[in-house]
Amino acid sequence: MKKIAVILAGCGVYDGSEINEAVLTLLHIAKNGAAYQCFAPDIEQLHTINHLTGEEMPSNRNVLTEAARISRGDIKSLSELKASEFDALIVPGGFGAAKNLCDFAVKGADAQINDLVLEACKQFANAQKAAGYMCIAPALIPFIYPNATLTIGNDEQTASALTQLGSTHTACAVDDIVIDEDNKLVTTPAYMLAQSILDADAGIEKFVKSVLALA
């Protein structure tokens, strides 16, 4: 049975992992006969957003503690992730990927990646193991792979920033994926383009199957 590491970035589209993306990822991993283990960095979020009003809340939250909501408590600190114990890596999207795992949402082409996240993801790249990044999570890729082809859908401003960081962007429909064979890397737009959970699921199903095929 193939085993997949999944890195979460909190809980909730505006300040953490996009919940539908995360759950659909776990579902399709299981439906394809593989196993998963969730991880998240034990750090404070950039900020906490009230998902009802869109306003920032005065109190802040911990990324690992919040991500545990999605995984029903079955999650480990990212510092415990060892690529040698897994066949592939998947990182769902949500603004947390661009706010907590890196600061792309704030700084764009001047972004930096969290050191712990970089170390964990680079383990898979250096071992030439398959990896998949969806939605805005491909913003992490330029820091991990020196020359990668990826997609975040068709947003020109975001694509331009990723190009400035050194990646090659390919426009992609919501129900499709982009595969970088040389890096064993799969990306899909998910909620960068999806207008419904069905839209998101079409691409995520294909995405998970492709990561597993490369593993």
Side-chain angles (χ1 to χ4, degrees):
M1 178 183 289
K2 293 178 180 178
K3 193 172 182 182
I4 314 301
V6 179
I7 297 178
L8 300 178
C11 181
V13 59
Y14 300 125
D15 57 17
S17 287
E18 210 296 321
I19 297 172
N20 289 346
E21 290 179 0
V23 172
L24 288 170
T25 294
L26 302 183
L27 175 65
H28 285 298
I29 290 172
K31 288 181 73 173
N32 281 278
Y36 60 79
Q37 175 62 56
C38 294
F39 295 87
D42 188 3
I43 57 174
E44 190 174 85
Q45 295 182 178
L46 172 66
H47 56 201
T48 297
I49 300 297
N50 181 324
H51 280 57
L52 189 61
T53 66
E55 297 176 353
E56 187 171 343
M57 298 172 66
S59 59
N60 209 0
R61 302 184 181 185
N62 177 278
V63 173
L64 177 59
T65 302
E66 289 301 292
R69 295 174 179 271
I70 295 175
S71 62
R72 297 173 60 87
D74 182 12
I75 193 166
K76 296 180 179 180
S77 173
L78 188 57
S79 62
E80 298 182 50
L81 176 54
K82 296 179 181 178
S84 59
E85 299 175 356
F86 295 90
D87 299 291
L89 169 71
I90 290 181
V91 186
F95 276 109
K99 289 180 176 179
N100 303 326
L101 305 186
C102 70
D103 57 9
F104 182 83
V106 178
K107 296 185 178 179
D110 295 318
Q112 298 290 323
I113 187 172
N114 175 278
D115 289 341
L116 188 62
V117 175
L118 178 62
E119 180 183 353
C121 295
K122 263 194 166 296
Q123 288 184 53
F124 288 86
N126 293 340
Q128 297 183 313
K129 292 190 173 186
Y133 295 75
M134 71 177 67
C135 189
I136 194 60
L140 302 167
I141 290 174
F143 303 100
I144 301 159
Y145 300 86
N147 296 291
T149 299
L150 55 80
T151 191
I152 47 81
N154 57 21
D155 184 84
E156 292 183 5
Q157 184 175 355
T158 305
S160 175
L162 293 175
T163 300
Q164 290 179 59
L165 284 167
S167 293
T168 299
H169 183 267
T170 300
C172 180
V174 67
D175 61 349
D176 208 353
I177 59 174
V178 168
I179 301 177
D180 180 336
E181 297 280 0
D182 290 340
N183 290 308
K184 299 181 75 172
L185 188 62
V186 185
T187 51
T188 192
Y191 275 100
M192 288 294 288
L193 291 178
Q195 298 298 307
S196 70
I197 194 169
L198 290 176
D199 280 352
D201 184 58
I204 291 171
E205 180 180 16
K206 189 181 296 185
F207 166 91
V208 171
K209 286 181 177 179
S210 296
V211 172
L212 290 172
L214 289 171

